[in-house]
Amino acid sequence: MEFRESRVCWIKDIVVVVTGENMETMKSIIQKYQHKGISLVEAGATRHRSIFNGLKALAGDQAYCRLSRPEVVIIHDAVRPFFEEDDLLKVVRAAREHGAAGATRPLVSTVISPSTEGCLDHSLERARYRASEMPQAFLFDVIYEAYQQCSGYDLEFGTECLQLALKYCHANAKLVEGSPDLWKVTYKRDLYAAESIIKERISQKICIVMDMKEEKEHAGYLLETVLKNELNHVKVTSVVPCHDGSNIQHIILEQCYSFVCMNVMTTDFQNTQKLLGMLEESNLSVLYPVVVVSVHFLDFELGPLSQKMESLMWIRKFAVEVKKRNILLCGLIINYSQDEQKLQESLRQGAVIIAALIKERNSALLGQLLVA
Amino acid sequence: MEFRESRVCWIKDIVVVVTGENMETMKSIIQKYQHKGISLVEAGATRHRSIFNGLKALAGDQAYCRLSRPEVVIIHDAVRPFFEEDDLLKVVRAAREHGAAGATRPLVSTVISPSTEGCLDHSLERARYRASEMPQAFLFDVIYEAYQQCSGYDLEFGTECLQLALKYCHANAKLVEGSPDLWKVTYKRDLYAAESIIKERISQKICIVMDMKEEKEHAGYLLETVLKNELNHVKVTSVVPCHDGSNIQHIILEQCYSFVCMNVMTTDFQNTQKLLGMLEESNLSVLYPVVVVSVHFLDFELGPLSQKMESLMWIRKFAVEVKKRNILLCGLIINYSQDEQKLQESLRQGAVIIAALIKERNSALLGQLLVA
């Protein structure tokens, strides 16, 4: 459910075709993630029967139907969650012109035809064929007509909508180049890949929330520099919260899922608490977990580290609270040594820990107090 | 380089075909990971030219060559690192009978043929075609003859060895069902998937090393029970080290990459130190990082936690030492409360943290002291 209706403003209605047994689950997902403008239709026994059911709901010729017949319809699979608006635009534009269009990708392996004895009959020249992916788009009248005309055999064994449009409506489907992320999530390894892609995408931006009490050239700014060096594929921005917190709220609205929050005094965690309050009020963590690393600077040589850590144990309790809102809070102590070399080493190690917490986004570590 | 010659005893020689620019890197990899019985051959400009170079080295008809001509040769790609011995056996047996054999997989997407205008010409019936994967096996004389006979066009543009064997030697290549993990690591997402698969495979076994001083029914055994419940896909075994440590050494030899080490007394970490000594002496961590979680039980209500944590700060220094040997050491304090409910909750949280440390295997967290 990566796709949210609000993300693409020119899409009018979304029909989700779902099996009877999963209908209630789908309803609860729509409610939980606050999706809008979605109609549910029961699936058929095969791919083509399911798509036909979805098209019937959009045709506007059934008594119970609140949807109106569109000019163009996009057909997509839930197993290809990573498409961009550009993929949709390309197939819709081509469908307007050609009646039908679909995304394709180069073949990864050579395709061969087996003989009836299970031996090689012939192999296809890889460069002359393509893998047909989704999304595909059609003039609604073309694809609806094709499904109404097509045979029982097509509905039972067919897999390619573009082929139906060609066979029954003579629509020469335009093939457009899809992005590599349109692959079909099929095996367990694909779930691993999908999880990593989502984690990577929501970890592209890190916001460092500076402490208002902080003086210029303080360790907070040093950490920013080190983070930018260590995470050179990530956009790191820092902000000093203004009085009403509106500049932080602006960053939350821009869907930043990773925060590093500076706290000047050891026993003072006002800055982190304010940020957590704003995150809890926002809707940000509905879809993905938000990571907050509360950073505290200590000079390890000015007395035993342990006593100061005790005062930071509030993080454990607080983390359990905010977990309910899908916010993952961790603490990080950085050695603010007078020795320049030790300070740099500690900042670098702190940046590595922050990068790992943000990248892994693992709730098992919430409430932990890590030491750099 | 997942494959190690010693893993499959019936393979006599391995020829790795590698481009000139990567030759030195490959030599250093072979040295670092102590691979035996490998000959390096320089690659050609295309897939088929590279394979031909590899076959020439095995043909035994060249003056400089120390290899003898085999009866059967297996051809494989480095981009398919996850094959099992069974995949090799299947193609070799079929090649002995048919002269040639290859692993295939069902097609994931429908394959289509574009027209010269970039429109759909026709789509293939998905069930009648297969994706050709590796490994493939051949009677050496068949495939060597095929490469000697084949045309310049084949060498330049061909992709399918089975096709060459059919075309030039009339060998009816047998197609065998490959395992799903034979897919071709092609895109960045495939690297994500491969990383997750490796991590999953080396996290399948956890060894709990009990403290010899521990009494029966102690928290160590409670933690074992909770870990078995939380990690129901993982084989959790516990062992009390015998005097000469031979039972631990046996487990190391069986390639267990994840250890949870109990320490009864807070300030006593003899058990963990002994284990680390044995791991450092072994060769286990050459290929993959080994995770060691040093577990310490404390009753949080019997005085401030912080003072006891201080005595465990040795873990930080020790972790930096063993990191050089690719061993990732973390500390874990579990609240050994007299309150049964609190104890169970702490054990459960400890198990979740252990599971995360073992699964993620992230070196950023080494030396940290986590609290459950």
Side-chain angles (χ1 to χ4, degrees), chain A residues 162-321:
Chain A
L162 300 178
Q163 182 72 27
L164 296 185
L166 176 64
K167 186 171 167 191
Y168 295 103
C169 296
H170 311 291
N172 269 315
K174 181 73 182 173
L175 306 179
V176 305
E177 181 80 20
S179 67
D181 283 345
L182 287 180
W183 100 103
K184 194 168 172 181
V185 176
T186 309
Y187 297 103
K188 193 176 179 185
R189 65 167 186 267
D190 296 312
L191 287 176
Y192 288 145
E195 191 185 344
S196 296
I197 288 173
I198 291 173
K199 282 184 176 174
E200 190 188 63
R201 287 191 180 184
I202 62 176
S203 304
Q204 284 308 298
K205 285 188 276 189
I206 298 178
C207 173
I208 305 180
V209 182
M210 296 295 180
D211 193 319
M212 278 191 284
K213 280 165 277 175
E214 187 166 27
E215 287 161 37
K216 273 188 183 168
E217 307 299 320
H218 191 271
Y221 292 94
L222 296 178
L223 182 62
E224 182 184 356
T225 308
V226 178
L227 263 176
K228 281 179 176 168
N229 283 340
E230 287 286 322
L231 304 170
N232 47 20
H233 296 297
V234 175
K235 192 183 162 205
V236 180
T237 51
S238 68
V239 60
V240 180
C242 61
H243 194 68
D244 62 356
S246 60
N247 54 354
I248 302 285
Q249 263 149 3
H250 184 71
I251 286 166
I252 292 173
L253 274 177
E254 283 180 329
Q255 299 189 304
C256 174
Y257 288 94
S258 309
F259 293 86
V260 176
C261 201
M262 300 293 161
N263 295 271
V264 170
M265 309 286 286
T266 309
T267 51
D268 179 348
F269 40 87
Q270 280 183 12
N271 209 24
T272 300
Q273 280 186 312
K274 269 189 203 162
L275 173 66
L276 290 172
M278 281 188 269
L279 285 169
E280 287 198 291
E281 273 171 39
S282 81
N283 240 345
L284 182 65
S285 56
V286 167
L287 210 50
Y288 303 117
V290 175
V291 171
V292 176
V293 184
S294 184
V295 175
H296 305 261
F297 290 96
L298 278 182
D299 187 338
F300 291 6
E301 276 143 37
L302 296 182
L305 179 58
S306 55
Q307 282 174 25
K308 289 163 186 167
M309 284 172 80
E310 188 81 9
S311 63
L312 291 168
M313 280 295 167
W314 66 272
I315 284 180
R316 279 170 67 78
K317 284 179 192 162
F318 226 76
V320 174
E321 275 307 304

Side-chain angles (χ1 to χ4, degrees), chain A residues 105 110 112 118 120 123 130 132 159 173 175 180 187-189 192 200 306 310 316 360 362 368 371, chain B residues 105 110 112 118 120 123 130 132 159 163 173 175 180 187-189 192 200 306 310 316 360 362 368 371:
Chain A
R105 291 285 308 157
T110 299
I112 58 180
L120 174 69
S123 75
R130 307 273 299 174
S132 175
T159 56
L175 306 179
Y187 297 103
K188 193 176 179 185
R189 65 167 186 267
Y192 288 145
E200 190 188 63
S306 55
E310 188 81 9
R316 279 170 67 78
E360 308 282 12
N362 195 323
Q368 297 296 329
V371 180
Chain B
R105 291 285 308 157
T110 299
I112 57 180
L120 174 69
S123 76
R130 307 273 301 172
S132 175
T159 57
Q163 182 72 27
L175 306 179
Y187 296 103
K188 192 176 178 187
R189 64 166 185 268
Y192 288 145
E200 190 189 64
S306 54
E310 188 80 11
R316 278 171 67 78
E360 308 282 11
N362 195 324
Q368 297 297 329
V371 180

Side-chain angles (χ1 to χ4, degrees), chain A residues 118, chain B residues 8 10-11 71-77 80 83-105 132-140 160 162 172-179 182:
Chain B
V8 183
W10 47 268
I11 289 184
E71 182 204 352
V72 174
V73 61
I74 299 169
I75 300 178
H76 193 64
D77 283 333
R80 291 180 173 88
F83 57 89
E84 297 298 329
E85 185 170 350
D86 191 52
D87 289 312
L88 300 178
L89 273 173
K90 276 201 251 177
V91 289
V92 166
R93 283 190 185 130
R96 273 228 170 88
E97 191 180 338
H98 296 264
T104 69
R105 291 285 308 157
S132 175
E133 309 286 353
M134 299 298 233
Q136 296 178 344
F138 302 87
L139 288 174
F140 185 85
E160 184 50 73
L162 300 178
N172 268 316
K174 181 72 182 172
L175 306 179
V176 305
E177 181 79 20
S179 67
L182 287 181

